[in-house]
Structure formats: C-alpha cells, structure tokens
Amino acid sequence: VPAGVSEFVQPQNGEATAAALASAAAEGRTARIRGGATKLGWGRAGQVPDVELSTASLNRIAEHNVGDLTAVVEAGVPLARAQAKFGAAGQMLALDPPLGRDRAATIGGVFASADSGPLRHRYGGPRDLIIGITVALSDGTVARAGGNVIKNVAGYDLAKLFTGSFGTLGAIISVNVRLHPRPPAFATAVGSSADPGRLGASARALAAAPLELDSLDIAWRGGRGGLLGRVSGAEPAPRANRVAALLRDQGLEGIDVIADDAELWARQRVGQRAREGALVRVAARPSALVNVLDAARACGATLVGRAALGTSYLELDPFAISPLRERLAGARAVVVLDGPEELRRAQDPWGEADERALELMRRVKGAFDPAGACNPGTFVGGI
Amino acid sequence: MDNGRALRSQLEAICGSEHVLTHPDALATYRSDGLAHYRETPLAAVLPATGDQVREVVACCFEAGVPWVARGSGTGLSGGALPVAEGVLIVLARLRRILAVSLEDASVVVEPGVTNIAVSRAVAPTHFYPPDPSSQIVCSIGGNIAENSGGAHCFKYGFTTNYVTSLEVVLSDGTVAELHRDAPGYDLLGAFVGSEGTLGVATKIELRVIPAPETVRTLLAFFEDSEAAGEAVTTIVSAGIVPAAIEMMDRLSIRAAEEATGAGYRLDAGAALIVELDGSEEECAIRFEQVRELCAQNGGRDIKVAADAAERDLIWKARKAAFAAMGRVAPAYFVQDGVIPRTRLPEALRRIDELAAEYRLQVANVFHAGDGNLHPLICYDAARSGEPERAEELANLILKACLDLGGSITGEHGVGVDKKGHMPAMFSERDLESFHRLRCAFDPHGLANPGKVMPTPRLCGEVPGPYREHPLERAGVASRM
C-alpha cells in the first residue's frame, strides 16, 4: 500500500471497479486509479487519495480482430504486451510513448494521460486511435461509447473526452483501438546544426514535402540540435535518401541515413522524461519552433520534440521554469509534466487555461463525477 | 405572439431585417436538409454575417428561452439540421470567409459557412484537406464539424475530427469558449466535433492541412460478384497496404452509374472495385503492382489503370454519380449508412440480399469498402401502395443486421432525427445517460438542436441518475489487499 493511502483495491472487472468507485464516493473518500505507476507524479501535487484502485486485474486483450485491424484492450494491459501481440500479426497500435520503469506503462495509463511518442507525426495521438471506450463512473455506472469499427459517428465521442482526463472523470476499463500494419522496414535521415533558425527552416521544408514521413523529430542538447526524418515501407531507402538530400540543401551538417534506427528513436523517447530536472511539455505553432529552441538554449534546457506538430519536451532546472514560461508566453501550453513534488506544489504545473473553457471543464467534471471522488485536485484548474 | 414579435425585432436589430425570414414562402427552403422527407417550419430563419452576430442571436434565444438549430449548407443526410417549430434556424451561409492560411503551420482558419472544397483550394497545389464527403463542393465546414464528416479517402487519412485544431464555439447561453487541441485539460474539442450541433455552434474553425501526395494511382477492377470483390479488399488490407480509397459498387449501382455517365464500367460485372493509392513515387509504384496482382488473384478482370488525371476523374465520376443515378433505376430510395467490421462484408451482403428478396425490393450497394461503411440504396416506388413503408422497414432491418455483425448504425451521416430511434439498439440506457451528462454540461437548458441524437427527450437535472444497487453488495467481487 503506497504511503498515505488507506485502502488498496484491485477490482476484477469493470462492474467491480464501478462498485469500488461508488463505495468510495458514498463514503466521501477519494480514489486514484493506478496502472503501471509510471506517471503517478504528473499533474498537481494533490492530496493523497484515500483509496487506490489498481487496474492490474483488468489484464485481458479482449479482442484482436486481425482482419479488421481493431482491438479491445483492458486498461491494465501493459502497452508493451499489447504491441507484442499485435506485432506477431504484422500489426501495431501506432503509439510509442516512453514506457517507463520495467516498460510498465499500461494502456489505461497511456490513454488517461494522452501520452504519445514520435509516431504522433503520422498517426496522431491516443485520441486519434481510440474508436470506443468502456468506463466506470463514481456513481457505480459502467458505460460505453463509440464502437468497434473505425468509422462510426453514433453518439457522443466520450472516448476522446476520457482520453487525457487523468482519471478525473472515472476509470477507463477498456479501450477499442484502431491498429495499423507494421511497416516492413524503416530508415532515418539525420542532420544537425548549432543554429536554431536553420533547424527551424529545415523542419518546415521537410514538413511541407510530400515524403510521407512516419516521424519528424527535433533534438537539442549542449548547444546543438538535430533533425530526424523517418520513413517506412517496402523499400524505404530511396525516400530516406531524398530526406537526407533535402536536409543537405537546407544547410544542415553531419547528414546520414541510418537503416538500423531503433536506437535513435528510443533516445528521442527518453528525452520525454525527466532524469534530474523538471520535464516541461510545450505546445506551440509549428512555425514557432525557432522560438522554442531559442528559449531552450537560453534556459539551459535539453529538448526533444515533434518538429511539425509544435510539441516539444524540455528538461531543465526547476528554477528555469518561470523564465521559460515568460519567454514562451504566446505558446498554447507550457505544462510541467514531471518534476519534484515541491515544484508541483509551489506552482500550477498546468499553467493557465482559457477561463471559459475551464468553466466548461468544471461542468463536465461535475456531470461525470458529481461526488468529486475521482482523483481530485490534480488536473487543470484544480479539477 | 407578442413574445415572438419581440424576439423577431431583436433578431432584426442584430442581423438586419432582410436577414430575418419569417414568411412561410421565405422559409420553404429551410424546412428540411438533405433528408427531405423530414420537414418542419421554424419560427424564423436568421442569416447572421459574423461570429459576433451568431453569438448575439444565440444569447437572444437564451434570454427568450427559445431553442435553435444551426444550419450549414443543408446537405446533411440524417435530418440533423431539421428546424424545430418553436425555434430559430441559424443559417451560417453568410459566414464564408477564409480568415487565414498558413502553409508554414499547415493551418487554415475559416468561418463555418466555407465549403469543404474551398479549404483544399486555398492551399493547393502543395497541400490539401483530406476529409472529402461526396457533397464537398457545397457542404460547409461547420456542417462537417457537426457531423464529423468522412468521405472516400478517410480509410487512410481519417475524419474531420483528426484535422480540427481549434474551435471558437458559441454555447447555448451565448458565451464563447475557445477549444484547442493542445490546450491542457479535457479534450472538449474532441467531444464537440461530431456532436451534431447539440453542444453549441462553431463560429471560427482552424483546420490542419497536409502536403499533397506526389503521386496518385487509381485502378478499376471488375468481379463476378460482391463477395469476390470483398475478398480482394480483405487480401489487400491484410497485405499491409493502406490505400487512400477502396470503393465498391454492385451490379445495380454499376448499371445506374454507367448509364448516367458512360464512364466505361462493365455492365455484365457483378461488382466493381476502385482502388486508389497515393503517396511517394517509390512506395506507390511497389504497392500498386501488389494491388493489381491481388485483384487479379481474387478474380478481378478487365483491370483498368487510370493513365492520367482525366481517366481517374472519369472512374470517380461514375462512383460519385451513383446516388443521383439511381433515379434511372427507381423513382425513390432510402440510403442507409450502416457500418460493419470489414471482414463481415460477405455476411452483410448475403443478409441484405435475403432481406431484399423477402421484401420484394431492389437494393443497390455502394460502399466505402476499406472501412466497412455500407451505403445500401433501398429502391421503391411511392406510387405503389405500401412500398415506401416496406422500404423503410427493410432499411431498418439492414441497420439491425449491421449491429448484429458488431457494427454501427451510422458511419458518417450522423444520427440526427433519422436514426435516433436506433440508438437504444446500439447503446444501453446507461450509455445514453452518460451521453446526456455531456450534453447537460454544455447546454443545461437543452436549447441547442433539441430532439436530435438522443432517442427520447430528457431534461437536465432530471438525469435518472446513480444506479441504486448498494455498491457494497458487489464489494465481494473485488479482492482487497
């Protein structure tokens, strides 16, 4: 039992999860959902929950419809295990977030936190891959939304609403997902520069080229940055060479094409977690990449990011967060994902939200969890 | 009617009297959307010119406690823009400015009345906007947002919801909220897209566009029957190929489309398959050969490869004309929009055939085969007594068959008024209740597009609420550690 938590429950199924949540709610207690425990430190440092609900027994890959490229996976299934199963059929769930200690990150945790990795460039994030959901609510209800087909507009898209809701609306019991064919081969072209402007321009040129990249990432550390463009397919080499040529034309140095590129991308994922400092996620316009790189340089941060999407992950000294926020005041979001608890206590890790949108979010929270039992105080605006 | 008169003068003050329609003749155009057999005359139709005016109109309705329905181009096929008799219809046709185009950010900002095709045109030739409903020349982006529209190319590229990055929305109390894809907090944007106008109305929309593929390759293949064509689709997808589009037409729809367009489809074929690949030169070349072989292996014959854009357009012309062309086969038809898991296609087609024979009606099948979205056209003649009723019954049974096979009642047309009666067959009462929770969070007074999506009207605050079984009764199921 984790420190401060008075009760630890491991429900065997969705109904039992709903009952456990309802039981906590009825007694005025708070509950937190626990998957692989790889991201429990994200969000506001809230109160210690009274009850912790483990998803460990929700561990079935309930369906893998190979011919339909869909699957139904329970929340407690480690993403790595699901990928192994899909991979055996030449398929994948196109999500590659960092998997954390012991590769323990679960499907439920990844969807509840809307975490993603370099594949987001081509396939989108969890919200773009989820086609249905089953949730348990704190009034004891088990409800479903969406379905098991990739094209479906019946009913409200609660699957997206629960994706990224950090367990504050209820517990995800299982998700229905769209799968993709696993490409037979990959290749990555890389180039580097110490000039943020040049890196930014190269990223824009590559993003606008019709090369169908799987991933387009940026990395910055120690005063130098690199751009990585990955292609896949039956024969990716010729296209990787075109990516390399484009990077060369843009004036990048150290151009290379790497066929055995898994390690490169693993390193990008590592950069999405804090090792010593604090980890900040920035969402900005893609064209503002140069400003983000400049800010990283000025604040002594290392950075990895999705160059064409405007999402960057910066690791920096906690004291540098305020100056970073000031420099990036125009960004859509500057969120402290991962950092020391005292830091997440001292300042709101979520930053500022549109007041009107926040009001709506509070109403949504009230509608799904009127008792306020689900992971309170940790989310945006103290939800 | 004093209240009605007061409301009217307020609306006129906001939009100008020439943009407030109350005479029955003037309202005739607005009585229905693309699903013309549902008709209703609203209290008034207003045509605001700006997002601000939309907000004022909505605020005015809120004050008066009057419901409202937003309407784009009126091409919807589920009665989603059907007016309510005691309400105001907000027509967004005048909000058709493209506000910003930035290729650097791969972004286009538009007003809701802008047509779907205009977005792609604004960023051509280097980029395009992938969701492409068949009505894309006229349908509006605002309507696409409401319905989460798809199109022929969504198997590879996804749906409207995957391309909306920001929305400015007017909520039913007349306030404005900005919803952004990357903003911290709940994915309200994701919840709003596809909510069929029941959560509010979008007044400013930012869309993501993507680089246009450097190559597009299209082939047309003919098969003995739909089953063989369906088998070809399965082997193509199982080979790890993700075509930009795979469309199938059956014998009846081939005949109608060919007679209408003369595109060169074989009238003796049982099914036709259009397969389109796009992307980089290298990858397309390899994959296209594979597709051609797989079609041939599965009994495809007379495989015709489009040599240029004109030939490709001709192949598509027949497909896109299929609906309209059915007029040559039957005086009237119902179109359904059910979805099945793609691998269940042969079963679904067999079931449709059986039902058609039983009901003595013709059913033509045109569908997005890649994603299992069927568009059966149930033909009937209204002049024959009892036939419309039989056709409707058959249409309903086809939807039921889709659900039995693990699918959905609607893939892209929306629930609207047309399919709300089918919602309880797809969702449990608790599922519907959870939908209602979302609706109430956005629109507690139920003023935005009432009577759509949900099968029975319900009021907020009257949510039948928590289920009563004591949670501890079930506690034994959980293991405590």
Side-chain angles (χ1 to χ4, degrees):
Chain A
V1 177
V5 174
S6 61
E7 194 184 349
F8 187 75
V9 192
Q10 188 174 319
Q12 298 298 304
N13 55 40
E15 292 292 339
T17 307
L21 278 178
S23 163
E27 292 158 9
R29 299 194 296 162
T30 62
R32 176 168 75 183
I33 324 295
R34 181 193 187 89
T38 62
K39 296 180 279 287
L40 285 180
W42 287 17
R44 284 190 185 208
Q47 70 224 54
V48 178
D50 299 316
V51 185
E52 201 164 65
L53 271 132
S54 165
T55 59
S57 293
L58 306 174
N59 60 1
R60 294 179 315 135
I61 298 174
E63 292 179 30
H64 175 200
N65 308 304
V66 176
D68 293 312
L69 287 148
T70 60
V72 179
V73 190
E74 289 187 341
V77 173
L79 177 56
R81 199 183 112 207
Q83 295 290 27
K85 167 127 177 144
F86 305 147
Q91 302 181 352
M92 63 176 184
L93 173 56
L95 273 179
D96 58 346
L99 297 175
R101 182 182 38 80
D102 300 332
R103 305 185 357 120
T106 60
I107 287 282
V110 169
F111 280 84
S113 63
D115 199 16
S116 61
L119 283 178
R120 190 186 151 189
H121 176 81
R122 177 167 191 164
Y123 298 98
R127 52 104 69 198
D128 299 292
L129 297 164
I130 191 166
I131 55 175
I133 198 163
T134 303
V135 296
L137 305 180
S138 65
D139 66 358
T141 303
V142 173
R144 286 178 318 121
N148 214 353
V149 283
I150 59 174
K151 192 174 187 187
N152 172 24
V153 294
Y156 293 110
D157 200 341
L158 301 186
K160 286 196 177 57
L161 186 69
F162 274 76
T163 298
S165 66
F166 281 81
T168 61
L169 297 177
I172 296 174
I173 301 302
S174 64
V175 296
N176 308 356
V177 289
R178 175 180 190 171
L179 304 177
H180 285 87
R182 201 184 137 69
F186 299 91
T188 298
V190 298
S192 68
S193 173
D195 175 7
R198 200 172 284 277
L199 288 165
S202 306
R204 284 201 298 277
L206 208 43
L211 290 164
E212 297 215 307
L213 301 180
D214 283 26
S215 303
L216 172 51
D217 255 33
I218 182 103
W220 178 271
R221 59 179 73 88
R224 213 174 160 75
L227 207 57
L228 302 82
R230 189 185 214 193
V231 295
S232 72
E235 280 178 32
R239 216 155 14 111
N241 289 333
R242 285 169 65 193
V243 175
L246 195 150
L247 295 178
R248 192 173 294 117
D249 289 347
Q250 291 291 324
L252 295 196
E253 302 142 28
I255 308 293
D256 199 2
V257 172
I258 297 141
D260 195 7
D261 62 358
E263 185 51 39
L264 277 181
W265 293 99
R267 212 180 308 151
Q268 289 299 101
R269 282 192 286 278
V270 167
Q272 290 180 220
R273 292 292 184 270
R275 282 150 294 186
E276 289 156 0
L279 201 282
V280 174
R281 187 181 65 214
V282 173
R285 296 206 158 272
S287 57
L289 180 60
V290 183
N291 310 16
V292 179
L293 287 172
D294 281 337
R297 180 158 65 176
C299 297
T302 61
L303 174 153
V304 299
R306 312 289 98 83
L309 302 178
T311 298
S312 305
Y313 301 83
L314 285 71
E315 186 179 12
L316 70 179
D317 188 303
F319 291 107
I321 290 177
S322 293
L324 181 79
R325 280 194 196 279
E326 279 166 34
R327 283 179 167 273
L328 296 176
R332 188 143 284 160
V334 179
V335 173
V336 179
L337 276 190
D338 196 3
E341 182 164 337
E342 40 300 2
L343 169 72
R344 288 178 295 114
R345 239 176 243 296
Q347 48 173 288
D348 187 344
W350 298 103
E352 282 180 27
D354 173 65
E355 199 40 55
R356 190 64 204 145
L358 196 53
E359 165 62 24
L360 257 183
M361 288 180 207
R362 292 201 175 100
R363 293 199 325 228
V364 169
K365 164 77 173 176
F368 284 88
D369 178 29
C374 299
N375 210 10
T378 55
F379 201 40
V380 179
I383 288 173
Chain B
M1 262 341 274
D2 276 354
N3 282 345
R5 207 166 296 141
L7 178 66
R8 179 181 167 169
S9 59
Q10 283 176 310
L11 295 174
E12 286 180 347
I14 298 165
C15 300
S17 58
E18 69 275 33
H19 299 300
V20 178
L21 314 175
T22 53
H23 192 278
D25 293 347
L27 290 172
T29 323
Y30 299 109
R31 289 172 65 205
S32 59
D33 62 13
L35 201 58
H37 57 274
Y38 292 100
R39 291 194 190 96
E40 191 60 82
T41 306
L43 208 59
V46 298
L47 287 87
T50 64
D52 254 353
Q53 288 185 2
V54 174
R55 181 183 53 73
E56 287 179 58
V57 168
V58 171
C60 184
C61 290
F62 180 70
E63 289 305 320
V66 168
W68 52 273
V69 176
R71 176 189 165 108
S73 300
T75 57
L77 291 171
S78 58
L82 181 74
V84 283
E86 68 283 12
V88 171
L89 187 72
I90 304 176
V91 182
L92 299 162
R94 293 174 68 215
L95 276 83
R96 52 191 328 143
R97 287 179 300 165
I98 294 177
L99 300 171
V101 176
S102 166
L103 293 184
E104 277 201 335
D105 284 322
S107 141
V108 178
V109 182
V110 298
E111 292 184 328
V114 167
T115 60
N116 174 290
I117 194 83
V119 177
S120 275
R121 286 193 180 138
V123 295
T126 56
H127 289 65
F128 80 117
Y129 175 64
D132 61 340
S134 297
S135 54
Q136 68 181 143
I137 296 169
V138 278
C139 69
S140 72
I141 290 295
N144 290 178
I145 300 284
E147 303 298 321
N148 186 20
S149 302
H153 289 83
C154 56
F155 178 57
K156 174 172 176 180
Y157 288 106
F159 313 90
T160 301
T161 189
N162 306 113
Y163 292 89
V164 184
T165 48
S166 293
L167 288 178
E168 175 190 272
V169 301
V170 177
L171 303 174
S172 74
D173 60 1
T175 57
V176 176
E178 289 196 11
L179 313 179
H180 299 289
R181 171 154 176 163
D182 281 318
Y186 298 128
D187 188 357
L188 300 182
L189 185 76
F192 190 93
V193 176
S195 62
E196 306 196 20
T198 63
L199 302 184
V201 52
T203 46
K204 195 157 97 180
I205 298 148
E206 182 175 12
L207 302 169
R208 181 169 66 88
V209 292
I210 63 175
E214 61 183 351
T215 309
V216 181
R217 308 202 59 180
T218 310
L219 69 74
L220 174 64
F222 297 95
F223 294 82
E224 192 61 37
D225 52 35
S226 298
E227 210 156 311
E231 205 45 53
V233 174
T234 295
T235 51
I236 290 167
V237 175
S238 301
I241 300 168
V242 184
I246 321 183
E247 299 282 300
M248 197 195 291
M249 294 161 71
D250 72 354
R251 189 184 302 276
L252 195 56
S253 46
I254 291 172
R255 200 182 93 204
E258 179 58 27
E259 282 174 13
T261 61
Y265 279 50
R266 293 197 53 139
L267 291 173
D268 62 343
L273 207 57
I274 302 173
V275 186
E276 188 161 287
L277 296 191
D278 67 9
S280 68
E281 302 276 7
E282 301 91 343
E283 204 58 26
C284 249
I286 298 169
R287 294 303 205 180
F288 196 72
E289 270 322 300
Q290 283 178 292
V291 167
R292 204 211 293 246
E293 275 165 34
L294 291 171
C295 280
Q297 278 169 24
N298 284 280
R301 55 198 166 88
D302 297 313
I303 298 174
K304 195 163 141 180
V305 176
D308 52 30
E311 285 190 24
R312 176 166 55 250
D313 288 349
L314 196 59
I315 290 175
W316 277 106
K317 189 178 170 193
R319 162 62 187 89
K320 290 190 173 172
F323 280 22
M326 287 316 289
R328 292 165 180 267
V329 174
Y333 62 83
F334 289 115
V335 57
Q336 280 297 10
D337 178 40
V339 188
I340 47 153
R342 190 175 23 73
T343 50
R344 314 296 294 271
L345 197 61
E347 285 161 86
L349 293 175
R350 265 198 301 277
R351 183 78 189 122
I352 291 173
D353 279 349
E354 286 164 14
L355 287 167
E358 188 186 328
Y359 278 74
R360 289 170 286 119
L361 291 169
Q362 284 195 303
V363 178
N365 286 294
V366 179
F367 39 79
H368 307 306
D371 42 36
N373 190 189
L374 310 176
H375 287 313
L377 304 161
I378 300 112
C379 304
Y380 67 94
D381 183 349
R384 290 192 199 144
S385 156
E387 216 171 274
E389 293 75 15
R390 263 195 359 260
E392 194 172 355
E393 215 179 305
L394 172 56
N396 290 340
L397 287 173
I398 291 175
L399 282 193
K400 188 179 171 298
C402 290
L403 287 180
D404 290 345
L405 292 171
S408 165
I409 55 174
T410 174
E412 55 187 0
H413 295 174
V415 176
V417 284
D418 191 47
K419 287 181 284 285
K420 63 180 185 173
H422 292 278
M423 288 287 276
M426 184 164 170
F427 296 107
S428 74
E429 180 53 33
R430 287 183 192 164
D431 304 339
L432 295 170
E433 223 172 78
S434 69
F435 291 159
H436 189 57
R437 291 171 199 256
L438 179 71
R439 170 107 161 83
C440 290
F442 275 79
D443 178 23
H445 301 281
L447 296 176
N449 210 7
K452 313 290 166 64
V453 185
M454 299 296 273
T456 45
R458 15 184 126 199
L459 297 175
C460 298
E462 271 191 10
V463 186
Y467 102 111
R468 298 297 173 197
E469 192 170 10
H470 196 286
L472 292 180
E473 282 177 63
R474 286 170 176 266
V477 192
S479 64
R480 281 160 197 265
M481 294 150 56

